[in-house]
Amino acid sequence: MNKIVLSLSLLTASLLAESVVEITPISVTATGVLESVLEQPLSISTKSEDEIKLDQVIFQKDLLNSLSGVRIAQTGSVIGHMTSIRMPISTGPYYLFMQDGIPVQSGGFFNHNGLAYTTFETATSVDVLKGAGTALYGSDAVAAVINVQSAQKPSKTKEMSVKAMGGSYGYGSLTVGMSDTIDKKSSYRANASYMHSDGWREHTKTDRGEANIRYDQEINDDNDVKVIFNASKTVAEQADSLSDYQLIEDGSTVASDDPDYYTALEKADVRRKFDYARLSAEFSNYSYNDLEMTFTPYIRYNRNRYVATWKDNLPSNDNKLYTLGFLQKNRYDASWGRIIGGFDAEYTQSSLLYNQDFDIDTFVTGPLYDYDVTYMAIAPYAHVEYDVTKKLMLTAGLRYDYNHYKYDNNLEDDSYDASGTIFRPADRSDSFDHLSPKLALSFHPVANTEIYARYANGFRIPQASRLYSMKAGYEDVTLDPETSNTYEIGVKKEFTKKTSLELSMYYMTIDNTITRYTNDTTDEYYYDNGGSTIHQGIEATLRAQMTQEWATKIAYSYSKHNYDNDPTYGDNEMQQAPRTLVNVRLFYTPTYLHGLTVMGEWQHTSQWWMDDAHSVSEYKGYDVGNLKVDYIVNKQLSVFGKVTNITDERYAVMANYSYHSDSYTPGDPRQFYAGVSYKW
């Protein structure tokens, strides 16, 4: 607590500085309405296009890790990632990943690498709504909602651009864009990018492409439509984690220290492949006074392919999903406040083939799982904002979610594979429903100041893979949905147009936590509903302009994550959950060289437990420094570059203990990048 008080005192002292740079955080994520973050009664962090441009995004962590309480860790497949926002880092479905306000994956088929489906490299902005989402969001919106924005509104005159970037370890990327007005009522914007990297470790080569197309059409005075197409394709080699930490300290570039990994390379294609495409059309109608109605149908395609290198038998996984979705939203503005209501609906056809591609040990060539799942979800919701007085606003929301699975086994019902370790259940259906209330109170004692208190209930349904990919010996295990309750208080203050502070404290409980346990007899892991978990912390974001040339942005968070009377782990603090995250950015824009911006960045991640049982010592954490530069030569030309991990720190970005062995994912070494952008 002393550290918290000291840090907050330093933040408050910095607010005395005079502001000369405009930093105005705005967001559309909470309610679908573009409004200032400083006026919303919840914790939401944003990043604008200018700051994203300075970050020169290559990986998901570049886009998000400067936001308070947000930690994205890249995995051995480079573009693969794990997320930690008000939760320990894990593969669990506690996050709703969206692009342009539309989920990038169905609630029943969460992929922890979901940000790879977004076009994050060419994002124009990003929002992170922390805690359970508003009434607009359902399953998986437990710890956070992440919304990546793609193409901006088209330009009024013809505009073309090209950007090229190169860097360490064979990195190279090219992005081209174009925008124009077709006539008085229609316009478009399009961009495409390609990235290649040889990777700094063995077997980490990556190729990735992204594309965004946006078309705006004004039908008449009361109707318009916005059509958006997003697509991405990734092929990424996968390196293994390391069990010997000395290899990290020595700066080793080996892909693994396990001989079985290299045997796997000889037997299988262990590249991870992500394919994604989505086409949406947002129709808006303004026929009635103070009422806006939007109708957004969309179609979406996801495919995830990989070899499970962490399994001794090296099975391959191929999961395809075809989705038809529809979002309907109505917004009514009145003198006393606002009402937002509507419903979300999705229909998904999924197929999963989990295959043994060669004979090994007791496993023989052939399908291990082969099943189809039809998933349907529908959720009506209502969100009301009521102005009790000019200074006091009450916000209430209610959402009802209904989710249905229809599972069809394409192998023999209630059968086992030849090894006797995998069970294929018979055809069946499963349904889950949940009612989520939301309530917030917002008080504005003086201008540009908000004090708020918030409660939000959330939930997440068991995933299809947890329900139907079963192991022998656990045929009778059933899973219930997890439910969460978020309690939050916060203060937001805008001192000037360029200096602001956002401070929040939260307490979140999750009941019926779906927990991974280890069978003491077989040493196999399995999932079951455990007890509860408790997640609590404090988050702060400061934006301040100290002088005409110097500005800063500080993101700070302190959190604790504990089991609560778990049958195995008691009240232990959870693994892979650093208590303290700090990101400090110092911006320098010299008056003697107009157009130049230099940013120094420090990222701090504190120590964490490596296992839930606390059977091994904590990992020490790490500190990383980066330097980024952008120079706008003129209206057409700009050059940029960055040095990441400037001190060449040797560290593990993830470290845990499992299967009686330490496991470390090495952090990136020092790397150099430079590029040029030209517009005409």
Side-chain angles (χ1 to χ4, degrees):
M1 288 302 298
N2 289 336
K3 291 182 179 179
I4 297 174
V5 173
L6 177 59
S7 298
L8 293 179
S9 298
L10 292 173
L11 295 182
T12 304
S14 299
L15 293 174
L16 299 176
E18 179 64 20
S19 170
V20 295
V21 174
E22 184 172 349
I23 307 173
T24 307
I26 58 175
S27 171
V28 71
T29 299
T31 61
V33 180
L34 188 65
E35 55 189 345
S36 170
V37 167
L38 300 176
E39 296 178 357
Q40 301 181 43
L42 44 76
S43 179
I44 185 165
S45 295
T46 69
K47 183 182 285 189
S48 66
E49 184 176 20
D50 288 341
E51 192 174 355
I52 291 174
K53 181 174 177 285
L54 184 58
D55 277 318
Q56 304 158 45
V57 175
I58 298 173
F59 304 112
Q60 296 96 317
K61 64 179 181 180
D62 300 327
L63 180 65
L64 289 155
N65 278 1
S66 61
L67 304 178
S68 67
V70 178
R71 181 171 177 249
I72 305 295
Q74 308 298 144
T75 64
S77 62
V78 186
I79 295 297
H81 71 90
M82 294 188 192
T83 303
S84 172
I85 305 171
R86 295 192 175 183
M87 295 281 294
I89 206 161
S90 73
T91 60
Y94 298 106
Y95 309 102
L96 179 59
F97 301 126
M98 302 195 305
Q99 178 143 343
D100 301 315
I102 298 174
V104 299
Q105 53 192 355
S106 292
F109 305 89
F110 180 84
N111 179 357
H112 68 86
N113 303 295
L115 287 171
Y117 292 138
T118 70
T119 55
F120 64 87
E121 289 181 83
T122 52
T124 57
S125 66
V126 64
D127 302 336
V128 179
L129 192 168
K130 287 169 277 190
T134 63
L136 276 66
Y137 307 113
S139 182
D140 298 350
V142 172
V145 177
I146 301 177
N147 186 24
V148 177
Q149 295 288 342
S150 61
Q152 288 185 327
K153 187 175 182 178
S155 61
K156 294 182 179 180
T157 58
K158 189 173 183 179
E159 181 182 286
M160 300 187 71
S161 64
V162 60
K163 182 176 75 172
M165 186 175 177
S168 301
Y169 305 104
Y171 173 83
S173 66
L174 179 67
T175 303
V176 295
M178 184 175 182
S179 183
D180 199 4
T181 297
I182 301 172
D183 54 39
K184 291 182 178 180
K185 293 188 176 183
S186 60
S187 55
Y188 72 91
R189 182 179 294 277
N191 64 58
S193 69
Y194 173 76
M195 181 272 279
H196 170 83
S197 174
D198 293 332
W200 71 272
R201 297 175 67 194
E202 295 175 347
H203 212 263
T204 55
K205 184 183 296 182
T206 303
D207 290 276
R208 176 176 168 86
E210 294 184 357
N212 297 291
I213 301 174
R214 172 172 169 171
Y215 173 78
D216 289 13
Q217 172 74 52
E218 181 185 338
I219 300 172
N220 53 44
D221 290 342
D222 294 326
N223 296 275
D224 58 48
V225 61
K226 179 174 65 178
V227 179
I228 296 179
F229 173 75
N230 308 123
S232 63
K233 184 176 182 64
T234 305
V235 179
E237 294 180 342
Q238 293 187 90
D240 195 14
S241 58
L242 304 175
S243 59
D244 184 0
Y245 192 73
Q246 188 62 46
L247 290 173
I248 292 178
E249 293 184 331
D250 293 342
S252 174
T253 61
V254 297
S256 177
D257 54 357
D258 182 356
D260 290 340
Y261 171 83
Y262 293 97
T263 301
L265 292 183
E266 298 173 0
K267 292 180 174 292
D269 178 4
V270 302
R271 294 178 297 173
R272 186 179 282 273
K273 302 174 183 178
F274 301 109
D275 300 325
Y276 176 80
R278 192 205 74 211
L279 177 65
S280 65
E282 180 183 296
F283 297 89
S284 298
N285 178 274
Y286 312 92
S287 300
Y288 304 96
N289 290 337
D290 303 318
L291 176 64
E292 177 186 352
M293 297 182 290
T294 61
F295 308 84
T296 310
Y298 60 91
I299 55 175
R300 187 180 63 221
Y301 169 71
N302 302 68
R303 189 177 186 186
N304 181 22
R305 289 168 286 170
Y306 62 87
V307 168
T309 55
W310 55 92
K311 300 280 190 180
D312 292 339
N313 57 312
L314 302 172
S316 63
N317 183 93
D318 189 354
N319 186 203
K320 301 177 185 176
L321 298 100
Y322 302 88
T323 299
L324 177 63
F326 186 76
L327 308 178
Q328 201 286 314
K329 184 177 67 175
N330 309 296
R331 170 192 167 190
Y332 175 72
D333 292 302
S335 58
W336 48 264
R338 179 167 61 191
I339 298 176
I340 299 173
F343 70 90
D344 303 338
E346 273 200 352
Y347 177 84
T348 295
Q349 290 277 4
S350 168
S351 65
L352 183 140
L353 180 60
Y354 198 59
N355 203 60
Q356 188 63 46
D357 296 328
F358 47 84
D359 294 345
I360 183 171
D361 297 330
T362 59
F363 291 86
V364 298
T365 303
L368 301 174
Y369 298 113
D370 183 357
Y371 60 77
D372 301 319
V373 176
T374 301
Y375 171 78
M376 187 271 289
I378 187 165
Y381 65 87
H383 172 96
V384 180
E385 299 175 5
Y386 177 67
D387 295 326
V388 181
T389 68
K390 291 183 178 180
K391 295 184 177 182
L392 185 66
M393 183 179 74
L394 178 68
T395 303
L398 194 64
R399 180 185 179 95
Y400 175 74
D401 284 87
Y402 176 79
N403 303 267
H404 178 78
Y405 295 102
K406 183 179 180 296
Y407 158 78
D408 294 304
N409 178 24
N410 297 322
L411 303 174
E412 183 181 352
D413 287 346
D414 295 327
S415 63
Y416 299 85
D417 74 308
S419 70
T421 60
I422 288 176
F423 176 67
R424 286 80 67 106
D427 298 353
R428 74 174 203 241
S429 296
D430 295 279
S431 298
F432 305 94
D433 66 331
H434 186 76
L435 188 66
S436 305
K438 326 279 182 175
L439 186 67
L441 195 62
S442 176
F443 178 55
H444 297 266
V446 294
N448 301 319
T449 301
E450 180 188 44
I451 302 171
Y452 71 89
R454 176 176 181 250
Y455 164 77
N457 176 269
F459 81 110
R460 66 106 161 178
I461 57 176
Q463 302 299 291
S465 59
R466 297 283 180 260
L467 291 169
Y468 310 122
S469 297
M470 304 181 69
K471 294 184 178 181
Y474 303 97
E475 296 88 342
D476 297 328
V477 172
T478 59
L479 295 176
D480 297 319
E482 296 184 5
T483 58
S484 73
N485 293 288
T486 295
Y487 306 88
E488 182 178 318
I489 59 174
V491 178
K492 300 181 182 183
K493 174 67 176 177
E494 186 178 83
F495 293 84
T496 71
K497 287 296 183 182
K498 298 166 187 176
T499 302
S500 63
L501 174 67
E502 301 165 46
L503 178 65
S504 63
M505 298 180 65
Y506 67 90
Y507 181 90
M508 180 174 71
T509 61
I510 298 180
D511 298 320
N512 288 326
T513 305
I514 298 175
T515 304
R516 173 173 157 169
Y517 297 104
T518 302
N519 188 306
D520 293 333
T521 303
T522 64
D523 207 32
E524 284 282 338
Y525 69 84
Y526 65 98
Y527 291 88
D528 201 355
N529 290 104
S532 300
T533 55
I534 298 174
H535 312 268
Q536 53 191 319
I538 184 171
E539 298 162 343
T541 300
L542 167 72
R543 300 171 178 88
Q545 186 85 33
M546 284 86 71
T547 69
Q548 187 176 356
E549 295 184 326
W550 293 93
T552 187
K553 180 180 178 183
I554 301 173
Y556 171 88
S557 67
Y558 178 87
S559 61
K560 285 191 67 178
H561 309 277
N562 293 79
Y563 288 101
D564 182 27
N565 198 29
D566 184 85
T568 299
Y569 303 122
D571 296 331
N572 281 2
E573 193 166 349
M574 301 174 76
Q575 65 165 306
Q576 299 199 84
R579 291 190 180 184
T580 306
L581 300 175
V582 182
N583 183 282
V584 178
R585 302 186 144 200
L586 187 63
F587 303 90
Y588 176 55
T589 52
T591 55
Y592 64 84
L593 189 56
H594 181 71
L596 176 65
T597 302
V598 181
M599 180 183 73
E601 179 183 36
W602 168 54
Q603 295 177 320
H604 169 73
T605 303
S606 69
Q607 71 274 15
W608 65 81
W609 288 105
M610 291 180 59
D611 71 334
D612 291 321
H614 296 184
S615 61
V616 295
S617 60
E618 294 178 289
Y619 181 68
K620 62 182 181 179
Y622 55 89
D623 292 89
V624 175
N626 306 309
L627 182 65
K628 304 175 183 181
V629 179
D630 183 38
Y631 178 45
I632 302 173
V633 181
N634 52 47
K635 291 182 179 180
Q636 289 77 39
L637 179 66
S638 64
V639 293
F640 51 88
K642 65 178 180 177
V643 184
T644 58
N645 191 1
I646 197 166
T647 62
D648 203 20
E649 175 81 4
R650 308 287 173 82
Y651 67 99
V653 69
M654 287 188 288
N656 70 313
Y657 178 82
S658 60
Y659 299 109
H660 307 295
S661 175
D662 292 341
S663 176
Y664 302 99
T665 301
D668 297 340
R670 180 170 50 228
Q671 297 182 63
F672 300 86
Y673 301 92
V676 59
S677 175
Y678 188 75
K679 299 178 181 179
W680 68 96

